Each structure stands twice: as C-alpha cells, then as structure tokens.
Amino acid sequence: MKNKTFLATLTLSASLFLAACGNAAADPSSDSSTADANEPVKVTLGVVGEVNEPWDYVIEELKEKENIEVELVKFTDYTTPNNALAEGEIDLSSFQTEIFMDNYNRDHGTELTTIGYTVMAPLGLYSEKITSINELKDGDTIAIPNDVSNEGRALILLQTAGLIKLDTAAGLVPTTEDVIENRLNLQFQTLESNQTARALQDVTASVINSGMAVDAGFIPSEDAVFLEPVTADSKPYYNVIAALSEDVDNEVFQTIVAYYQSEGTAKVIEESSKGSQFPVWNEAE
C-alpha cells in the first residue's frame, strides 16, 4: 500500500512539474521567454569600401526599433563578397550593380538575387594630370576596370564623353575589342576595379567606380573630369541589396530593405555623397 501511494504521489508530482514547464515556455511573461524575445536577430551584410554612412544610419534604426543587429563585413574588391554570399559566409550584400551580379551568376552558376534597390552611383573619369576631357592628347592612356560589366560601362562612359565609338552589337558589355573609332588613339589599361584609383599616378586618367573614388578621397560630383549621366537607361547600373534566391521572402531581410528604402536614408545619401549618389528604389518599381 505504501509503495502504491508513493508511486501515485511521484507520478502526480512529475505531471505537475512538466505542466509547469510547458506553461513557462508558452508564457511570454516568463523569464526564459523574455530572454529569447530580447535576444537580437543578427545579420551579416557584405559591403565594399570603408565609407558606409547610409548603412550606418540604417543599422542604428534597425537596432533601436526592430532589435535587428546588422554587422557590416567590409571587402576591398567586387568578387570576394559575392563568393562569401554564395557560400553562406554572409547573409546579404550591398555593393554591386544588378548587371554585375547577373554576370557573376552566369559565370559562377549561382543564384544571387535582388531583394531591393539602393542607389545609382555614377561612374567617373578622374585624373591628376588634366581637368577637362578636352586636354586629352593623342596616345594618352586611360585605366578602366577589367571585369565584364564595369569594363563595358567604362567604355560606354568614354563613348558618352565623345572620346570613342563602340560597335552597337556589343550592347552593354563591350570590350576594348569593340572600339571602332578612337580619334585620339587612346590606350586602355585594364585593371582590377580596386586598382584603378591607385593607377592615377601612372596614367593620364582613370575610370573609377564611385565607392572606390570616395575611398580615394574624391567627391565624384565635384572631382570627376567627366561623370556618368543618370538617364532612363541607367537601370542596369542600379545598385542592389542581394541575397540567396531561397531567402527572397525572408521577413528579417525584407525589414532591412524597408528601413533602407526610407526618406531618412535618402537624406543621408544626399548629404554623405554630396549629391554624387541618387536613391533609385522608387524609380525601380
């Protein structure tokens, strides 16, 4: 009889204990559940360059209002962050144009996907030797990026400046082989994008991506010898926030996009870039 009473008491105690545990896990006011709720959601975001004032603003907003902690992972070239995203080493990236990402996907068999647009950052021609394209002389050398999309974009920039003419069959990705008119016999030195600013001492002029130019101390809207115009045809050069294709509908990532695409961010972009970059998320819709 004593054994039966003991077993019944033990069974009842165990049941009450398990029920209490279950209620504690379901109750948002319990200590354990509160601890989980207060734990920030952490996201890593790949960027290129040291100056990221718009993202600094967005990160503060997300931390304060959404308990989302975004860590910027800074890279110095345009290939490594895509490799990192494709391999799951970072969660998102924000540094490249859509056409650059499309070419990366094609060349690497990846499925990086746009989840939001950010800015149009015009490409520019910079120089330490001339102040106008009219000062270029016969045989001068111009450095340009060597990846497919940026080489093409640089050559189109030089065509827009009236310096060369390209074969229209090359579309948005011409190479130096597609130059069909070159009245000044300009020479082209193709370099990694992160080397074009460093080459300024050795060439007459250099076509430099906006972020690289800013890191080199330039204000694109003030210092470029010739700056890429922003037109209705500029969409392939809109910068994007990219994720893996399976993460397109991730709610946290979409929240990050929404906070970036805000009036507050637009003001920071205008002020920090001194009018050298333009928010494009409304135009991209």
Side-chain angles (χ1 to χ4, degrees), residues 56-123:
D56 292 339
Y57 166 79
V58 173
I59 287 170
E60 286 299 317
E61 290 285 291
L62 286 165
K63 185 176 181 180
E64 177 184 343
K65 299 176 181 177
E66 301 291 343
N67 203 24
I68 296 173
E69 284 190 4
V70 177
E71 176 191 356
L72 293 186
V73 182
K74 298 178 180 179
F75 297 89
T76 58
D77 67 275
Y78 290 144
T79 300
T80 310
N82 274 342
N83 293 342
L85 180 57
E87 294 170 6
E89 296 172 0
I90 57 176
D91 300 309
L92 299 171
S93 72
S94 178
F95 71 94
Q96 65 191 323
T97 61
E98 194 157 51
I99 189 172
F100 184 93
M101 183 181 68
D102 290 344
N103 277 289
Y104 178 89
N105 282 334
R106 186 195 64 223
D107 293 343
H108 295 82
T110 50
E111 295 184 358
L112 308 185
T113 305
T114 297
I115 63 170
Y117 292 92
T118 57
V119 299
M120 168 71 180
L123 205 62

Side-chain angles (χ1 to χ4, degrees), residues 212-219 223:
M212 302 292 185
V214 170
D215 276 355
F218 294 111
I219 299 172
D223 298 326

Side-chain angles (χ1 to χ4, degrees), residues 1-16:
M1 185 67 176
K2 288 183 179 180
N3 288 340
K4 289 183 179 181
T5 302
F6 174 78
L7 289 172
T9 303
L10 181 61
T11 302
L12 178 60
S13 299
S15 298
L16 291 172

Side-chain angles (χ1 to χ4, degrees), residues 201-219:
Q201 294 181 350
D202 304 316
V203 297
T204 307
S206 184
V207 179
I208 308 173
N209 292 81
S210 179
M212 302 292 185
V214 170
D215 276 355
F218 294 111
I219 299 172

Side-chain angles (χ1 to χ4, degrees), residues 20-266:
C21 290
N23 289 336
D27 183 1
S29 66
S30 69
D31 291 341
S32 61
S33 136
T34 301
D36 290 341
N38 289 334
E39 190 69 25
V41 177
K42 297 184 179 181
V43 177
T44 50
L45 173 77
V47 295
V48 172
E50 292 298 321
V51 181
N52 298 280
E53 291 180 25
W55 274 114
D56 292 339
Y57 166 79
V58 173
I59 287 170
E60 286 299 317
E61 290 285 291
L62 286 165
K63 185 176 181 180
E64 177 184 343
K65 299 176 181 177
E66 301 291 343
N67 203 24
I68 296 173
E69 284 190 4
V70 177
E71 176 191 356
L72 293 186
V73 182
K74 298 178 180 179
F75 297 89
T76 58
D77 67 275
Y78 290 144
T79 300
T80 310
N82 274 342
N83 293 342
L85 180 57
E87 294 170 6
E89 296 172 0
I90 57 176
D91 300 309
L92 299 171
S93 72
S94 178
F95 71 94
Q96 65 191 323
T97 61
E98 194 157 51
I99 189 172
F100 184 93
M101 183 181 68
D102 290 344
N103 277 289
Y104 178 89
N105 282 334
R106 186 195 64 223
D107 293 343
H108 295 82
T110 50
E111 295 184 358
L112 308 185
T113 305
T114 297
I115 63 170
Y117 292 92
T118 57
V119 299
M120 168 71 180
L123 205 62
L125 180 69
Y126 298 83
S127 177
E128 294 179 351
K129 301 176 176 65
I130 62 171
T131 58
S132 166
I133 57 174
N134 295 326
E135 297 174 26
L136 285 167
K137 302 185 298 296
D138 190 273
D140 279 346
T141 298
I142 296 179
I144 61 175
N146 66 0
D147 62 86
V148 174
S149 65
N150 280 312
E151 179 178 351
R153 187 180 179 187
L155 291 169
I156 292 171
L157 174 73
L158 298 178
Q159 177 175 253
T160 303
L163 298 172
I164 60 173
K165 187 174 181 179
L166 299 165
D167 186 345
T168 57
L172 294 176
V173 287
T175 69
T176 54
E177 299 298 318
D178 297 306
V179 177
I180 56 177
E181 288 186 19
N182 184 359
R183 59 183 177 80
L184 289 177
N185 298 307
L186 297 172
Q187 306 300 305
F188 303 106
Q189 184 175 352
T190 56
L191 302 168
E192 295 287 337
S193 293
N194 60 357
Q195 298 297 316
T196 53
R198 298 177 186 177
L200 281 171
Q201 294 181 350
D202 304 316
V203 297
T204 307
S206 184
V207 179
I208 308 173
N209 292 81
S210 179
M212 302 292 185
V214 170
D215 276 355
F218 294 111
I219 299 172
S221 59
E222 298 176 5
D223 298 326
V225 175
F226 187 83
L227 197 63
E228 182 180 39
V230 180
T231 70
D233 298 324
S234 298
K235 188 174 180 182
Y237 306 123
Y238 287 1
N239 282 31
V240 302
I241 301 172
L244 296 176
S245 59
E246 60 262 33
D247 291 329
V248 168
D249 297 320
N250 182 295
E251 291 185 6
V252 172
F253 296 172
Q254 287 298 331
T255 299
I256 292 171
V257 171
Y259 270 74
Y260 189 98
Q261 295 178 343
S262 69
E263 290 185 9
T265 308

